[in-house]
Amino acid sequence: MKISVSYLSSKYSKEQTIKLIEATTADYLHVDLMDGGFVPEKNFTITEVLELLKNHKKPLDIHLMVFDPIIYIDDLAKLEPKYITFHVEATKDVVKTIEKIKEHNIGVGLSIKPHTDLYELMPYLALVDLVLIMSVAPGAGGQAFLLESVSRLKELEDFRNTNHLTFEIEMDGGINADTIKLVPNLDIAVSGTFICKSADYQTQINELKQ
Ligand code: DX5
Ligand code: ZN
């Protein structure tokens, strides 16, 4: 299982937190971008995020919690991320947005909130590289893992197997050394608070990777 670390909630500045993550064996840097519409808080401007991440070393796993995700893609492509993930609830133009990300040869991720029916994803699953199941309501770090995420993962895995699909499955929210044991089949686990509010990032990552 790969570990993607979110710098959203940390004891340090964004710059310092990213530096500390870059020094670990984490697989990806998870970039949470919130527009103050799809979720209550706004935490970025494009200029700021391009500046913040211009010298990144870890592959970027960008998680857009925004309405109209398509309008950000050309700018974010300058960072050459591994994945750009947007929410199925955030736009009527899911296919157009998928195509826009693919134009840049970036992996396409589609995310889903905890209370949205998984069937909403079905029309798009053959088109995407990644599905991000939210295991908390999007919008803030430090929330408790929702247990129903375990059966949602199982359902999505079964669908993937039955239909011979190849997308990866990622989960985001409330992942720590205990909750990660409930979802051992994940391809990618996102973790924020458990790592970035600790005294030693590498020790926490080692615990997740056990
Ligand atoms: C929540 C974000 C998450 C969050 C994860 O809206 O998408 O990536 O930062 O943080 P923890 O691990 O604290 O739930
Ligand atoms: Zn996230």
Side-chain angles (χ1 to χ4, degrees):
M1 190 191 304
K2 292 190 165 154
I3 304 294
S4 187
V5 181
S6 161
Y7 60 84
L8 185 64
S9 343
S10 167
K11 301 201 277 192
Y12 312 106
S13 68
K14 287 179 187 171
E15 290 78 3
Q16 181 63 13
T17 307
I18 291 167
K19 228 183 251 169
L20 289 167
I21 298 169
E22 295 272 28
T24 69
T25 59
D27 298 284
Y28 300 110
L29 183 63
H30 183 85
V31 180
D32 285 307
L33 301 180
M34 315 200 284
D35 68 351
F38 184 71
V39 292
E41 196 190 323
K42 177 173 165 72
N43 75 340
F44 77 105
T45 64
I46 282 292
T47 317
E48 185 226 43
V49 81
L50 292 180
E51 177 63 25
L52 180 69
L53 296 169
K54 66 179 181 199
N55 295 321
H56 73 90
K57 292 182 213 69
K58 299 270 185 208
L60 300 179
D61 165 34
I62 300 181
H63 177 195
L64 293 176
M65 289 170 274
V66 302
F67 283 127
D68 294 327
I70 200 164
I71 64 177
Y72 303 98
I73 308 301
D74 288 336
D75 279 322
L76 291 174
K78 296 175 192 159
L79 293 169
E80 299 181 17
K82 169 85 178 169
Y83 298 108
I84 296 182
T85 296
F86 65 99
H87 274 261
V88 69
E89 303 91 351
T91 175
K92 291 205 167 62
D93 291 328
V94 175
V95 174
K96 265 198 201 161
T97 309
I98 290 172
E99 284 168 355
K100 183 76 179 164
I101 298 171
K102 283 191 177 173
E103 262 175 38
H104 292 284
N105 290 315
I106 296 165
V108 180
L110 195 57
S111 185
I112 185 158
K113 291 183 185 183
H115 300 297
T116 303
D117 200 308
L118 285 179
Y119 282 107
E120 299 287 332
L121 295 173
M122 300 302 168
Y124 314 112
L125 290 177
L127 307 175
V128 302
D129 302 292
L130 176 85
V131 173
L132 172 54
I133 303 178
M134 290 306 298
S135 39
V136 298
Q143 305 177 72
F145 181 86
L146 296 168
L147 277 178
E148 55 267 36
S149 314
V150 176
S151 55
R152 283 163 74 76
L153 169 61
K154 174 85 177 69
E155 201 180 317
L156 193 62
E157 276 182 325
D158 289 348
F159 185 90
R160 179 172 64 177
N161 293 340
T162 313
N163 294 283
H164 309 289
L165 294 170
T166 55
F167 59 83
E168 295 196 275
I169 307 181
E170 180 177 38
M171 194 169 271
D172 181 7
I175 305 263
N176 56 41
D178 297 322
T179 54
I180 203 165
K181 295 195 182 105
L182 304 171
V183 286
N185 295 334
L186 275 182
D187 300 302
I188 307 172
V190 178
S191 187
T193 309
F194 179 69
I195 294 165
C196 298
K197 293 216 168 160
S198 79
D200 183 345
Y201 287 19
Q202 185 62 56
T203 304
Q204 302 295 89
I205 290 169
N206 293 346
E207 284 210 30
L208 293 179
K209 288 205 172 211
Q210 261 175 19

